[in-house]
Amino acid sequence: MMIKFKFLFALIFVMTIAFTANAQNTAALPDGTIMSIKNSDAEKLSVSFNEQIEIILPEKTAVYSRKQAEMVLKNFFNQNPITEFQLIHQGKKDNASFAIANYYASKSRFRFTFLTKIKSGKIYIHQIRIEKQ
């Protein structure tokens, strides 16, 4: 009876570890992305950007370097101070993933869509689409 209990405990432990590892591999956004946005910290957010990142805003679309994209988002955060940010959906296929979130500003609401890719085992944001709702 004790051997069965130990085996069952070990099996549950191994399954828990495997599930946790798998859950981490299915994340669509790099670590810290949500907190960076909630804190309006464009500099910290830019650490997760690919070398070139496309940013699609209601008034302009362009491909930027990491530093340029940081300045564009810093400007967006300053013009639209955040009141709430909610991740509503994310998915993954092969080495690419996406996430969709609602960004609430004091006077407006925006939909953020992130496209990411895994490169050298790390998730990088290669596109951010911001649409006014």
Side-chain angles (χ1 to χ4, degrees):
M1 181 71 165
M2 188 62 145
I3 293 173
K4 285 182 181 180
F5 177 74
K6 286 182 181 179
F7 175 76
L8 182 60
F9 179 76
L11 182 63
I12 290 171
F13 180 76
V14 168
M15 289 176 64
T16 302
I17 297 278
F19 178 75
T20 302
N22 190 36
Q24 290 173 348
N25 290 336
T26 61
L29 293 173
D31 292 339
T33 299
I34 293 171
M35 193 54 65
S36 296
I37 293 171
K38 285 183 176 181
N39 293 330
S40 298
D41 190 343
E43 182 179 357
K44 193 165 190 166
L45 180 61
S46 71
V47 171
S48 301
F49 293 168
N50 205 359
E51 290 117 17
Q52 298 288 309
I53 177 171
E54 182 179 24
I55 298 182
I56 302 163
L57 295 168
E59 67 278 354
K60 183 179 180 182
T61 298
V63 175
Y64 299 99
S65 70
R66 190 176 284 144
K67 193 67 175 166
Q68 289 170 325
E70 176 187 329
M71 299 311 291
V72 168
L73 287 176
K74 183 176 184 178
N75 187 43
F76 175 84
F77 292 148
N78 287 337
Q79 290 178 358
N80 302 285
I82 189 169
T83 58
E84 187 177 351
F85 186 77
Q86 295 176 326
L87 183 64
I88 56 173
H89 187 67
Q90 57 185 340
K92 180 179 178 193
K93 183 175 181 180
D94 301 325
N95 283 339
S97 57
F98 71 94
I100 301 170
N102 288 326
Y103 180 101
Y104 299 92
S106 54
K107 297 179 183 175
S108 301
R109 178 179 162 194
F110 298 89
R111 168 78 41 101
F112 272 55
T113 304
F114 301 89
L115 299 180
T116 64
K117 288 187 180 181
I118 297 174
K119 186 167 70 175
S120 302
K122 186 175 177 189
I123 301 172
Y124 290 96
I125 300 171
H126 72 93
Q127 184 187 80
I128 298 175
R129 176 183 298 268
I130 302 172
E131 299 170 292
K132 194 166 187 172
Q133 299 291 295

